[in-house]
Amino acid sequence: MELRQLQYFVKVAKKQHVTQASEELHIAQSAVSRQIHQLEEELGVNLFVQKGRNLQLTPVGKLFLNRVESIFSDLDRAVSEVHEFLDPNVGVIRIGFPHSLGMNLLPTVVASYKKERPGVKFRLKQGTFTSLIRDVMSGEIDLAFISPFPDSHDYVAGELLLTEELYAILPKHHPLAGESVIRLEQLKDEPFVMFSEGFSLQTIVLDACKKAGFVPNLSFEGEETDTIRGLVAAGMGVSLLPEMASTGSGPLQPARLQLLEPRVTRTIGLIRRKGEKLPPVAEGFRAFLLGYFKGE
């Protein structure tokens, strides 16, 4: 079954006349009749019956027409989506991000870009370090903000965007809450509220505590910065959070202190599939981000 057979079939069904259909298609009448006949033979049914000088759809022909029109509608939509996807001004950007960037950085850069290209759409997907790399590799997303930024990888490449400092967050009634700067070692006897296993921030905090000479006492685990901040503010422990995620707008907020020894940071980068050209709409956003973080 060929696409042109279906196109001829739809045109004949609409015109109810082979001659009129062939004139609109700019195809010889015999060629249209032959294609319709071959289609009926392949299906094993009669799609039309002669009624006077016109052709009328049989019941099964009406059923087939509905399905074929649905197929053409989906095909037209698919072509439109491809053109839209490739258009840097109205396409769709599929981008992944870790939760800790979803409250500040991501909304800020998306809003800034939308001012330049209001027709562009964003399809967002949140994930962990591992899942974001996997989704970029599989083509599920075009770009991903990621932390820490991988120095080298066999299947993804990208650019480092910024290095962000982590702060200690403590309950406001904590004896150290009034300090402006503390050493991480001063929290060695405190219960820690951390991100769950699989989140890169847990690894960063564990490594920092190891450098400070202790293994933290884990009291609670969470998957969202709001939860961790709330638990700390409620007196359930202490934690380390990136600067962008260490403050919130709710009524219950922890104290935030700068860490001096060791200074704890995380890298944030933008990754894409290695060796592949991005769609123009995604490449436009990537170029914007590189300029944005360079202050251009």
Side-chain angles (χ1 to χ4, degrees), residues 2 15 20 27 41 58 88 122 150 164 194 214 220 291 294:
E2 298 178 3
K15 305 304 295 187
Q20 293 179 13
I27 302 294
E41 282 193 335
T58 62
F122 284 86
E164 183 184 25
M194 289 193 195
F214 70 96
F220 290 95
K294 288 179 181 178

Side-chain angles (χ1 to χ4, degrees), residues 153-202:
H153 195 278
D154 290 339
Y155 302 105
V156 300
E159 296 82 22
L160 176 65
L161 299 178
L162 74 152
T163 299
E164 183 184 25
E165 191 169 356
L166 269 69
Y167 284 74
I169 58 170
L170 286 66
K172 287 190 174 180
H173 57 72
H174 193 281
L176 295 174
E179 303 290 332
S180 58
V181 179
I182 63 170
R183 302 186 314 277
L184 184 54
E185 180 189 8
Q186 293 175 262
L187 302 179
K188 65 180 181 180
D189 296 324
E190 302 289 343
F192 270 71
V193 182
M194 289 193 195
F195 276 89
S196 302
E197 186 177 357
F199 286 79
S200 59
L201 281 171
Q202 187 195 75

Side-chain angles (χ1 to χ4, degrees), residues 37 41 51 59 66 73 89 97 118 131 148 161 165 182 208 212 216 229 243 249 264:
H37 178 67
E41 282 193 335
K51 188 176 182 181
N66 289 335
S73 177
N89 295 309
F97 64 99
S131 69
L161 299 178
E165 191 169 356
I182 63 170
R229 240 185 0 255
E243 182 177 5
S249 57
V264 186

Side-chain angles (χ1 to χ4, degrees), residues 96-241:
F97 64 99
H99 178 271
S100 59
L101 300 184
M103 303 211 29
N104 190 332
L105 186 144
L106 184 70
T108 299
V109 295
V110 167
S112 296
Y113 194 64
K114 290 283 283 183
K115 289 179 182 179
E116 292 188 7
R117 296 185 178 180
V120 168
K121 303 177 185 67
F122 284 86
R123 189 174 300 157
L124 308 176
K125 187 172 184 181
Q126 183 177 304
T128 63
F129 178 87
T130 302
S131 69
L132 289 171
I133 288 182
R134 183 182 64 238
D135 288 342
V136 168
M137 288 169 53
S138 68
E140 179 73 18
I141 53 180
D142 303 304
L143 296 164
F145 289 105
I146 197 162
S147 178
F149 177 66
D151 293 328
S152 62
H153 195 278
D154 290 339
Y155 302 105
V156 300
E159 296 82 22
L160 176 65
L161 299 178
L162 74 152
T163 299
E164 183 184 25
E165 191 169 356
L166 269 69
Y167 284 74
I169 58 170
L170 286 66
K172 287 190 174 180
H173 57 72
H174 193 281
L176 295 174
E179 303 290 332
S180 58
V181 179
I182 63 170
R183 302 186 314 277
L184 184 54
E185 180 189 8
Q186 293 175 262
L187 302 179
K188 65 180 181 180
D189 296 324
E190 302 289 343
F192 270 71
V193 182
M194 289 193 195
F195 276 89
S196 302
E197 186 177 357
F199 286 79
S200 59
L201 281 171
Q202 187 195 75
T203 303
I204 291 172
V205 174
L206 290 175
D207 288 346
C209 291
K210 184 178 180 180
K211 288 180 181 179
F214 70 96
V215 176
N217 173 25
L218 180 60
S219 61
F220 290 95
E221 291 186 17
E223 296 185 355
E224 297 186 354
T225 53
D226 286 344
T227 302
I228 292 174
R229 240 185 0 255
L231 288 170
V232 171
M236 300 300 175
V238 301
S239 190
L240 305 186
L241 284 179

